[in-house]
Amino acid sequence: MDQTIDMKDIDKDIDAILKAYVAVNSETCTPGEKGAEAFLLDYLGNIPYFAQHGDHFGSYEIQDDPLERSVCWAMVKGEGEETVILLHHSDVVGVEDFKTLKRHAFCPDRLEEELKKISAELQSEAREDLHSGDYLFGRGAADMKGGGAIQLALLKRYSELHGLKGNLILLALPDEENLSAGMRAAVNLLAELKEKYGLR
């Protein structure tokens, strides 16, 4: 079977996913974290593989969590037991350090425009980065919704393969910036998936 992934235009997909993901204000320990969960479930539900395999993705509730957060997960089930796990966190730290620009912290394009208006106040290295056009700004873009966007784009492409050797699981964790409640819940989720599907 052909195991070649079509990488055409993946950069555009990653950029679109990332900007939409960053737009979700998912500050840690706030109800906004549920917004990231909704975003992820919507994205996954629109991938044909998961529309056809509704039991291969979902949210896994964190027990006794006051904010009722859940771990979002998805699995592309292939042949065999070997399994790779893609992992990122969906919460972000607060935006107080953005000061007067904090209302733009979750809109990369607008934030870049606003930063350019005050670029004279920035340190020279930051100013050069800003004007280079090589960077995307916004809370969570690097830590770590950028990684999450790459994982989501890859997961979609792997879901399009036929006869995939092995399995792929994606985990998106809340509460990483605080007490890691998401990862602690994910350990139980992984144990359940391992048992149910015979994964290694």
Side-chain angles (χ1 to χ4, degrees), residues 21 24 26 32-41 72 90-91 145:
Y21 204 178
V24 179
S26 56
E33 286 192 80
K34 295 289 287 180
E37 181 183 333
F39 167 81
L40 290 161
L41 292 175
C72 281
S90 55
D91 64 324
K145 291 178 177 178

Side-chain angles (χ1 to χ4, degrees), residues 94-121:
V95 295
E96 291 306 312
D97 56 331
F98 279 68
K99 308 219 181 275
T100 60
L101 299 180
K102 65 184 179 182
R103 68 184 183 279
H104 306 300
F106 300 102
C107 183
D109 293 336
R110 183 59 189 269
L111 178 60
E112 183 176 348
E113 291 173 15
E114 295 299 320
L115 283 168
K116 285 180 178 176
K117 292 177 183 176
I118 60 166
S119 64
E121 301 172 29

Side-chain angles (χ1 to χ4, degrees), residues 107-173:
C107 183
D109 293 336
R110 183 59 189 269
L111 178 60
E112 183 176 348
E113 291 173 15
E114 295 299 320
L115 283 168
K116 285 180 178 176
K117 292 177 183 176
I118 60 166
S119 64
E121 301 172 29
L122 302 176
Q123 294 178 356
S124 60
E125 186 178 353
R127 189 166 50 251
E128 288 171 17
D129 290 347
L130 174 64
H131 291 291
S132 73
D134 294 333
Y135 294 86
L136 185 138
F137 302 88
R139 177 56 82 221
D143 183 19
M144 80 172 296
K145 291 178 177 178
I150 293 168
Q151 292 172 3
L152 289 164
L154 285 172
L155 184 77
K156 181 177 185 292
R157 280 164 170 73
Y158 272 99
S159 77
E160 295 166 352
L161 290 179
H162 298 288
L164 175 66
K165 304 297 186 213
N167 311 285
L168 191 62
I169 293 175
L170 179 140
L171 299 176
L173 311 173

Side-chain angles (χ1 to χ4, degrees), residues 9 33-34 38 59 65 117 121 132 176 184 190 196:
D9 294 329
E33 286 192 80
K34 295 289 287 180
S59 55
D65 186 67
K117 292 177 183 176
E121 301 172 29
S132 73
E176 187 276 343
R184 289 185 282 117
L190 288 172
K196 182 176 181 179

Side-chain angles (χ1 to χ4, degrees), residues 55-69:
D55 58 335
H56 287 187
F57 81 105
S59 55
Y60 186 83
E61 184 179 326
I62 299 172
Q63 292 299 311
D64 303 318
D65 186 67
L67 295 172
E68 300 180 344
R69 294 169 294 188

